Amino acid sequence: MASNKQCFDKILISACFLGERVRYNGVVKSLVSQLISQWQQQGRFISVCPEVMSGLPVPRPPAEINPKTKQVLTIESVDVSQQFKKGAQLALSLCQRHDIRFALLKESSPSCGSNTIYDGSFSQKIIVGEGITTKLLRQHGIKVFSELSLAQLELLLDQ
Ligand code: SF4
């Protein structure tokens, strides 16, 4: 017999939100919110860190998308575009495997940003844009939200 749990929409979530040690600087920084706790208890989350899944280490040099060339470059000017694309593909595969329609990803990250990204100058400047994983997920019809739009995501779940 199907359980209620199986009726819930699953959500692809940035692993760093769940306190996993995946961020570029190795610092753990979870997203604390009542909705996050509720969705976690409901078993909705499929955790993903596209950068770590692609084989990049923790810690790793910060990387940003060059707005002109669209390459992803580290602060040392190493081109990591292929790793970022591979991470995006792996995230998409997870969504397809788990029938996921929604993702909750960290804003401004070069992989996970959904409204903004850093401007490629490594000077903490933010511009309108989306990360490599977000872009690919959206191209496949997955709706991507951030920590700033939890309420909007809640409205769409289980409809
Ligand atoms: S790639 Fe995404 S999940 Fe991984 S650390 Fe960066 S923001 Fe978090």
Side-chain angles (χ1 to χ4, degrees):
M1 196 171 80
S3 70
N4 283 340
K5 205 169 175 175
Q6 286 170 316
C7 300
F8 289 141
D9 269 314
K10 295 271 187 195
I11 303 168
L12 188 80
I13 184 168
S14 286
C16 51
F17 282 159
L18 298 178
E20 293 180 39
R21 189 176 172 275
V22 289
R23 297 178 70 234
Y24 74 96
N25 58 7
V27 174
V28 170
K29 200 169 157 188
S30 10
L31 177 61
V32 179
S33 132
Q34 200 185 334
L35 277 175
I36 295 292
S37 306
Q38 180 188 317
W39 293 338
Q40 197 158 24
Q41 279 166 17
Q42 291 170 336
R44 291 184 188 269
F45 290 147
I46 301 293
S47 162
V48 68
C49 176
E51 293 173 27
V52 169
M53 281 173 76
S54 79
L56 291 170
V58 181
R60 55 190 173 276
E64 296 187 5
I65 300 172
N66 180 303
K68 288 193 187 124
T69 65
K70 305 297 177 196
Q71 288 170 300
V72 188
L73 300 175
T74 70
I75 195 164
E76 297 145 350
S77 296
V78 174
D79 187 342
V80 284
S81 305
Q82 288 313 315
Q83 287 94 323
F84 274 62
K85 284 180 191 165
K86 180 180 171 190
Q89 284 293 346
L90 291 168
L92 176 63
S93 300
L94 265 181
C95 289
Q96 291 169 335
R97 196 176 322 144
H98 294 278
D99 234 351
I100 288 175
R101 300 186 296 147
F102 302 109
L104 175 56
L105 302 183
K106 175 84 185 80
E107 192 58 276
S108 305
S109 146
S111 290
C112 294
S114 52
N115 295 292
T116 57
I117 51 172
Y118 289 98
D119 75 348
S121 67
F122 296 94
S123 56
Q124 296 299 305
K125 285 197 198 116
I126 280 179
I127 55 174
V128 171
E130 58 190 3
I132 306 293
T133 293
T134 297
K135 186 173 183 182
L136 185 68
L137 296 186
R138 283 179 170 158
Q139 283 169 351
H140 287 79
I142 295 156
K143 291 192 168 29
V144 182
F145 299 82
S146 78
E147 66 273 32
L148 306 175
S149 53
L150 295 179
Q152 286 97 311
L153 171 55
E154 185 187 25
L155 289 176
L156 293 176
L157 288 176
D158 305 330
Q159 288 184 3

